[in-house]
Amino acid sequence: MHCEICHRSSDDAQYFEKHHLFPGKHRRISQDRRDDTIDVCRDCGDQIHLMFDNTELRTDLDSLETLREAMSGFAKWVSNRPLERRVSMKKKKRKL
């Protein structure tokens, strides 16, 4: 598997999780959007939810391309760290 944000890879699936590109439980979302996911490493998954709330993710960052762009600085930094060691993060919301 590989992370679609930072591009780190491993054969061990424990380092990865699914990220919903359209998070939250909304009745008006089509089934296609509910199932729209990407594979991310645990570090990128945690950082996504530290930086952005679900409203931002649904409205501004609902594609792999926009999420990659918003996460580019973190992805570049974390890509040099081993997947086996979790990175320490502080909660910091970013305004778009």
Side-chain angles (χ1 to χ4, degrees):
M1 294 185 80
H2 82 281
C3 177
E4 296 186 61
I5 300 294
C6 70
H7 304 291
R8 294 186 294 171
S9 62
S10 173
D11 291 332
D12 195 340
Q14 75 170 335
Y15 300 118
F16 300 93
E17 58 190 45
K18 295 283 185 193
H19 169 73
H20 288 91
L21 288 172
F22 205 86
K25 296 179 181 178
H26 297 279
R27 286 178 258 156
R28 297 181 192 171
I29 306 171
S30 70
Q31 187 64 38
D32 292 341
R33 289 306 322 235
R34 274 186 229 145
D35 296 336
D36 199 2
T37 62
I38 58 173
D39 292 319
V40 296
C41 66
R42 296 177 306 174
D43 294 325
C44 285
D46 289 348
Q47 188 67 11
I48 288 169
H49 291 287
L50 287 174
M51 290 176 69
F52 312 109
D53 62 29
N54 282 349
T55 301
E56 289 175 297
L57 291 169
R58 280 192 303 272
T59 58
D60 300 323
L61 303 169
D62 64 342
S63 72
L64 176 58
E65 294 77 24
T66 57
L67 194 53
R68 269 190 189 149
E69 184 178 323
M71 298 282 297
S72 63
F74 177 80
K76 183 177 180 180
W77 175 80
V78 81
S79 65
N80 296 318
R81 272 93 182 141
L83 279 168
E84 299 81 27
R85 291 192 55 196
R86 299 294 302 266
V87 296
S88 178
M89 297 175 218
K90 294 180 180 176
K91 187 170 184 165
K92 181 179 179 184
K93 296 288 183 184
R94 195 195 108 173
K95 296 288 184 192
L96 292 178

